[in-house]
Amino acid sequence: MAATRASGTNAVRYGTMRENVLGLTVVTASGEIIHTGTRAKKSSAGYDLTRLMVGSEGTLGVITGVTLKLYPLPEAVSAAICHFKDIGSAVDATIQIIQMGVPIARCELLDVNAVRAVNEHSKLGLRESPMLLMEFHGSEAGVKEQAETVQAIAAEAGGENFEWASTPEERTRLWAARHKAYFAGMTTHPGCRTVTTDTCVPISRLTEIIEASVAEADASGLPYYIVGHVGDGNFHLAYMVKDGDAKERETAERLSMQMVHRAIALQGTCTGEHGIGLHKQGFLVDETGAGAVEMMRTLKRALDPKNILNPGKIFSL
C-alpha cells in the first residue's frame, strides 16, 4: 500500500497512504537502514523523504516499517445502499455529494454487472442496477444530518430503494458486495481472467469518463464490470477475457489504453492506486512529461546506482 501510494474505501474522507504515512524505516540499495519522518503531525526539516519513498514502488528502497496516523473510532457509523436507473445518474449523485462538502466516509460504485456477479456469488439479493454504497462517520446528530442530505441529493438524481444499516452485522452484509466483487467476477465467468485497470480524474469529469468507457466496453462485446472509489474520482474497470484468447486480450488492452488516454486528457491520472509497474510506463511520460521522468531517473541513479531495486519498474534507465 505504501509502495504504490494506494488507498481504500475510506480514502474519500481520510485520504490515501500519502496523507496517512508519518514516517518509514527503509533499507537502501547500499544496505543502510534509514528512518524518515517523525510522529509529529508536521515537519519542515529537510527533504520530505517519506513522500519520496511512498509511491516509489520499491525502486528507491525497501520499506520495512511504517508509522501511520490513527483515527478515533467514530461515535456513530451508518451505511446505506442506493440504486439508480443508470450509471451516469449514480455518478452524478456522487459528484453532487462531494461538491456540496458532505464529509462522507465511503462512497463506492458498483455497476449492474458487478451487482449481478455478487448476487450470484454471495446470494445477496440486491436489486440488479447501478448502486452506490455509502458510509457515514461522526456523532449521532452528524451522521443523521449527513445521511438525510445524501438521501435528498440521491433522490434528486433518481436514486431509490435506499437500505440503511447501523449495526456492525448489517454493515458487514452490505459491504460484502464491494469487498467480494473481484472474486465474484472471476467465479461467475469460468475460464476467464481479468484485465483490470484503474484511473482517477477530477470529480467533475467522472461521469464523462465512466459513460464513455462503458459505451466502448459494451460495443466490444467483452464481459466487464466496474467498481470504484468514486468519492475521490477513482474507478476500476475489469474486462473478462477467456484464458489464452489472444484476440480478446488484445481488445481488452485496447479498451484499457483508450480509457487511460481519456483520463489524462481530462487532467486525471493513468493510475489512481495500482501504480505504474511495467505496464503503464508509456502513460507516465504522457502524464508527467519527459522532463519529469528524466528527473525520476536522476533520483533512481543517485539512490540505486547499481539498479538492483525493482529494476525496470516505473521507467527504464
Side-chain angles (χ1 to χ4, degrees):
M1 291 287 287
T4 57
R5 199 161 63 245
S7 56
T9 58
N10 282 296
V12 61
R13 177 161 179 172
Y14 300 101
T16 69
M17 292 300 285
R18 181 185 63 192
E19 290 80 32
N20 286 286
V21 175
L22 293 173
L24 298 170
T25 302
V26 177
V27 180
T28 69
S30 65
E32 183 181 1
I33 298 173
I34 65 167
H35 302 278
T36 74
T38 69
R39 291 181 62 188
K41 191 171 184 178
K42 61 182 182 178
S43 172
S44 296
Y47 293 165
D48 192 344
L49 296 180
T50 303
R51 299 297 173 272
L52 178 63
M53 292 295 171
V54 172
S56 63
E57 298 186 38
T59 62
L60 301 180
V62 179
I63 297 172
T64 60
V66 185
T67 302
L68 296 168
K69 289 182 183 177
L70 294 179
Y71 296 88
L73 290 173
E75 175 190 340
V77 178
S78 179
I81 57 173
C82 178
H83 295 271
F84 295 82
K85 68 180 186 302
D86 55 54
I87 199 166
S89 299
V91 179
D92 285 344
T94 303
I95 293 171
Q96 289 299 312
I97 291 166
I98 301 304
Q99 290 183 339
M100 284 189 67
V102 179
I104 192 168
R106 299 181 180 186
C107 188
E108 297 287 306
L109 171 72
L110 283 79
D111 75 340
V112 62
N113 299 323
V115 175
R116 189 176 296 125
V118 295
N119 272 345
E120 186 176 333
H121 178 264
S122 303
K123 308 296 186 286
L124 294 179
L126 298 168
R127 173 178 162 181
E128 293 186 355
S129 63
M131 182 181 86
L132 288 182
L133 177 53
M134 299 164 284
E135 194 166 274
F136 310 94
H137 297 174
S139 65
E140 293 283 358
V143 164
K144 183 174 183 293
E145 182 181 6
Q146 291 173 46
E148 288 173 350
T149 301
V150 166
Q151 187 163 4
I153 293 170
E156 199 171 291
E160 54 189 14
N161 290 83
F162 266 86
E163 182 179 341
W164 297 91
S166 56
T167 68
E169 294 78 15
E170 290 171 330
R171 295 199 306 272
T172 297
R173 183 184 69 82
L174 292 184
W175 279 100
R178 173 64 179 90
H179 294 312
K180 295 183 179 179
Y182 175 80
F183 304 103
M186 292 288 286
T187 57
T188 53
H189 292 84
C192 287
R193 299 176 67 86
T194 60
V195 176
T196 307
T197 193
D198 86 305
T199 59
C200 187
V201 297
I203 191 75
S204 60
R205 312 305 295 270
L206 191 58
T207 304
E208 182 178 345
I209 187 171
I210 289 182
E211 287 188 333
S213 300
V214 165
E216 289 177 347
D218 285 339
S220 76
L222 286 181
Y224 70 92
Y225 64 89
I226 293 175
V227 294
H229 312 314
V230 287
D232 53 13
N234 184 205
F235 71 100
H236 310 261
L237 205 157
Y239 306 98
M240 310 302 297
V241 175
K242 293 187 187 72
D243 198 10
D245 190 318
K247 186 175 181 180
E248 287 196 355
R249 176 80 188 204
E250 182 181 339
T251 299
E253 295 288 356
R254 174 178 55 79
L255 292 172
S256 173
M257 182 178 297
Q258 290 170 186
M259 188 178 83
V260 172
H261 279 308
R262 187 176 297 115
I264 294 172
L266 294 174
Q267 297 184 302
T269 178
C270 61
T271 172
E273 58 181 3
H274 287 182
I276 295 296
L278 296 171
H279 209 58
K280 289 189 173 181
Q281 292 186 12
F283 298 129
L284 180 64
V285 178
D286 294 338
E287 180 176 325
T288 66
V293 174
E294 188 55 39
M295 183 179 288
M296 295 179 203
R297 289 193 179 99
T298 300
L299 288 168
K300 170 69 170 173
R301 293 185 186 108
L303 297 180
D304 181 17
K306 295 183 179 179
N307 195 24
I308 62 172
L309 297 175
N310 267 358
K313 290 291 182 72
I314 306 183
F315 46 75
S316 62
L317 288 179

